[in-house]
PDB file of all heavy atoms in Angstrom:
ATOM      1  N   GLU A 234      -3.029  12.699   1.885  1.00  0.00           N
ATOM      2  CA  GLU A 234      -3.672  13.193   3.115  1.00  0.00           C
ATOM      3  C   GLU A 234      -2.618  13.346   4.206  1.00  0.00           C
ATOM      4  O   GLU A 234      -1.840  12.426   4.474  1.00  0.00           O
ATOM      5  CB  GLU A 234      -4.737  12.169   3.554  1.00  0.00           C
ATOM      6  CG  GLU A 234      -5.559  12.622   4.747  1.00  0.00           C
ATOM      7  CD  GLU A 234      -6.450  11.481   5.250  1.00  0.00           C
ATOM      8  OE1 GLU A 234      -6.705  10.514   4.488  1.00  0.00           O
ATOM      9  OE2 GLU A 234      -6.870  11.559   6.405  1.00  0.00           O
ATOM     10  N   VAL A 239       2.737  19.380  12.477  1.00  0.00           N
ATOM     11  CA  VAL A 239       3.320  20.122  13.608  1.00  0.00           C
ATOM     12  C   VAL A 239       3.640  21.523  13.115  1.00  0.00           C
ATOM     13  O   VAL A 239       4.294  21.686  12.085  1.00  0.00           O
ATOM     14  CB  VAL A 239       4.609  19.421  14.124  1.00  0.00           C
ATOM     15  CG1 VAL A 239       5.191  20.177  15.311  1.00  0.00           C
ATOM     16  CG2 VAL A 239       4.327  17.970  14.502  1.00  0.00           C
ATOM     17  N   ASP A 241       5.106  25.366  14.078  1.00  0.00           N
ATOM     18  CA  ASP A 241       5.820  26.337  14.932  1.00  0.00           C
ATOM     19  C   ASP A 241       6.044  25.813  16.354  1.00  0.00           C
ATOM     20  O   ASP A 241       5.832  26.534  17.340  1.00  0.00           O
ATOM     21  CB  ASP A 241       5.022  27.652  15.028  1.00  0.00           C
ATOM     22  CG  ASP A 241       4.814  28.270  13.659  1.00  0.00           C
ATOM     23  OD1 ASP A 241       5.747  28.172  12.826  1.00  0.00           O
ATOM     24  OD2 ASP A 241       3.710  28.825  13.417  1.00  0.00           O
ATOM     25  N   LYS A 265      -0.295  10.421   5.420  1.00  0.00           N
ATOM     26  CA  LYS A 265      -0.780   9.115   5.843  1.00  0.00           C
ATOM     27  C   LYS A 265      -0.075   8.039   5.003  1.00  0.00           C
ATOM     28  O   LYS A 265       0.088   8.196   3.798  1.00  0.00           O
ATOM     29  CB  LYS A 265      -2.287   9.057   5.616  1.00  0.00           C
ATOM     30  CG  LYS A 265      -2.957   7.900   6.282  1.00  0.00           C
ATOM     31  CD  LYS A 265      -4.466   8.015   6.166  1.00  0.00           C
ATOM     32  CE  LYS A 265      -5.119   6.829   6.816  1.00  0.00           C
ATOM     33  NZ  LYS A 265      -6.556   6.815   6.566  1.00  0.00           N
ATOM     34  N   GLY A 266       0.356   6.970   5.668  1.00  0.00           N
ATOM     35  CA  GLY A 266       0.986   5.856   4.962  1.00  0.00           C
ATOM     36  C   GLY A 266       2.482   6.009   4.792  1.00  0.00           C
ATOM     37  O   GLY A 266       3.130   5.143   4.201  1.00  0.00           O
ATOM     38  N   LEU A 269       8.463   7.406   8.057  1.00  0.00           N
ATOM     39  CA  LEU A 269       9.393   8.529   8.187  1.00  0.00           C
ATOM     40  C   LEU A 269      10.469   8.224   9.229  1.00  0.00           C
ATOM     41  O   LEU A 269      10.159   7.781  10.324  1.00  0.00           O
ATOM     42  CB  LEU A 269       8.623   9.786   8.617  1.00  0.00           C
ATOM     43  CG  LEU A 269       9.470  11.032   8.876  1.00  0.00           C
ATOM     44  CD1 LEU A 269       9.954  11.646   7.554  1.00  0.00           C
ATOM     45  CD2 LEU A 269       8.683  12.074   9.669  1.00  0.00           C
ATOM     46  N   ASP A 305      -2.699  19.251  21.160  1.00  0.00           N
ATOM     47  CA  ASP A 305      -2.037  20.148  22.124  1.00  0.00           C
ATOM     48  C   ASP A 305      -3.031  20.832  23.041  1.00  0.00           C
ATOM     49  O   ASP A 305      -2.680  21.332  24.100  1.00  0.00           O
ATOM     50  CB  ASP A 305      -1.184  21.186  21.383  1.00  0.00           C
ATOM     51  CG  ASP A 305      -1.981  21.926  20.329  1.00  0.00           C
ATOM     52  OD1 ASP A 305      -2.160  21.363  19.225  1.00  0.00           O
ATOM     53  OD2 ASP A 305      -2.439  23.029  20.594  1.00  0.00           O
ATOM     54  N   GLN A 325      12.797   1.753  22.675  1.00  0.00           N
ATOM     55  CA  GLN A 325      14.135   1.198  22.481  1.00  0.00           C
ATOM     56  C   GLN A 325      14.374  -0.006  23.398  1.00  0.00           C
ATOM     57  O   GLN A 325      14.935  -1.006  22.980  1.00  0.00           O
ATOM     58  CB  GLN A 325      15.194   2.284  22.758  1.00  0.00           C
ATOM     59  CG  GLN A 325      16.618   1.774  22.590  1.00  0.00           C
ATOM     60  CD  GLN A 325      17.669   2.854  22.853  1.00  0.00           C
ATOM     61  OE1 GLN A 325      17.325   3.997  23.136  1.00  0.00           O
ATOM     62  NE2 GLN A 325      18.916   2.483  22.742  1.00  0.00           N
ATOM     63  N   LYS A 362       0.879 -13.225  15.446  1.00  0.00           N
ATOM     64  CA  LYS A 362       1.128 -13.912  14.181  1.00  0.00           C
ATOM     65  C   LYS A 362       1.848 -12.967  13.212  1.00  0.00           C
ATOM     66  O   LYS A 362       2.794 -13.362  12.506  1.00  0.00           O
ATOM     67  CB  LYS A 362      -0.204 -14.367  13.584  1.00  0.00           C
ATOM     68  CG  LYS A 362      -0.063 -15.413  12.502  1.00  0.00           C
ATOM     69  CD  LYS A 362      -1.408 -15.948  12.101  1.00  0.00           C
ATOM     70  CE  LYS A 362      -1.259 -16.850  10.888  1.00  0.00           C
ATOM     71  NZ  LYS A 362      -2.551 -17.238  10.338  1.00  0.00           N
ATOM     72  N   TYR A 373       7.556 -15.422  29.338  1.00  0.00           N
ATOM     73  CA  TYR A 373       7.754 -14.134  30.017  1.00  0.00           C
ATOM     74  C   TYR A 373       8.907 -13.387  29.341  1.00  0.00           C
ATOM     75  O   TYR A 373       9.800 -14.035  28.768  1.00  0.00           O
ATOM     76  CB  TYR A 373       8.066 -14.356  31.503  1.00  0.00           C
ATOM     77  CG  TYR A 373       6.838 -14.748  32.288  1.00  0.00           C
ATOM     78  CD1 TYR A 373       6.502 -16.079  32.477  1.00  0.00           C
ATOM     79  CD2 TYR A 373       5.997 -13.764  32.811  1.00  0.00           C
ATOM     80  CE1 TYR A 373       5.358 -16.443  33.170  1.00  0.00           C
ATOM     81  CE2 TYR A 373       4.851 -14.118  33.504  1.00  0.00           C
ATOM     82  CZ  TYR A 373       4.531 -15.454  33.684  1.00  0.00           C
ATOM     83  OH  TYR A 373       3.393 -15.798  34.358  1.00  0.00           O
ATOM     84  N   THR A 393      -4.096  -2.737  18.591  1.00  0.00           N
ATOM     85  CA  THR A 393      -5.344  -1.953  18.556  1.00  0.00           C
ATOM     86  C   THR A 393      -5.568  -1.322  17.172  1.00  0.00           C
ATOM     87  O   THR A 393      -6.486  -0.524  17.004  1.00  0.00           O
ATOM     88  CB  THR A 393      -5.309  -0.817  19.602  1.00  0.00           C
ATOM     89  OG1 THR A 393      -4.120  -0.054  19.374  1.00  0.00           O
ATOM     90  CG2 THR A 393      -5.300  -1.355  21.020  1.00  0.00           C
ATOM     91  N   ILE A 415      13.582  -6.538  12.756  1.00  0.00           N
ATOM     92  CA  ILE A 415      12.601  -5.550  13.243  1.00  0.00           C
ATOM     93  C   ILE A 415      12.305  -4.529  12.144  1.00  0.00           C
ATOM     94  O   ILE A 415      11.138  -4.171  11.905  1.00  0.00           O
ATOM     95  CB  ILE A 415      13.133  -4.835  14.514  1.00  0.00           C
ATOM     96  CG1 ILE A 415      13.253  -5.838  15.685  1.00  0.00           C
ATOM     97  CG2 ILE A 415      12.249  -3.654  14.915  1.00  0.00           C
ATOM     98  CD1 ILE A 415      11.977  -6.534  16.066  1.00  0.00           C
ATOM     99  N   GLN A 420       8.838  -2.295   8.008  1.00  0.00           N
ATOM    100  CA  GLN A 420       8.678  -2.010   6.575  1.00  0.00           C
ATOM    101  C   GLN A 420       7.439  -2.737   6.033  1.00  0.00           C
ATOM    102  O   GLN A 420       6.651  -2.166   5.268  1.00  0.00           O
ATOM    103  CB  GLN A 420       9.926  -2.490   5.835  1.00  0.00           C
ATOM    104  CG  GLN A 420      10.280  -1.641   4.667  1.00  0.00           C
ATOM    105  CD  GLN A 420      11.699  -1.969   4.138  1.00  0.00           C
ATOM    106  OE1 GLN A 420      12.291  -3.005   4.477  1.00  0.00           O
ATOM    107  NE2 GLN A 420      12.224  -1.084   3.333  1.00  0.00           N
ATOM    108  N   PRO A 437      21.933   5.067  10.085  1.00  0.00           N
ATOM    109  CA  PRO A 437      21.608   5.276   8.660  1.00  0.00           C
ATOM    110  C   PRO A 437      21.075   3.994   8.015  1.00  0.00           C
ATOM    111  O   PRO A 437      20.220   4.053   7.139  1.00  0.00           O
ATOM    112  CB  PRO A 437      22.944   5.671   8.036  1.00  0.00           C
ATOM    113  CG  PRO A 437      23.812   6.060   9.167  1.00  0.00           C
ATOM    114  CD  PRO A 437      23.349   5.336  10.368  1.00  0.00           C
TER     115      PRO A 437
END
Side-chain angles (χ1 to χ4, degrees):
Chain A
E234 185 188 340
V239 181
D241 301 323
K265 193 172 179 188
L269 177 74
D305 53 279
Q325 179 180 359
K362 197 172 172 188
Y373 285 92
T393 54
I415 294 302
Q420 214 168 15

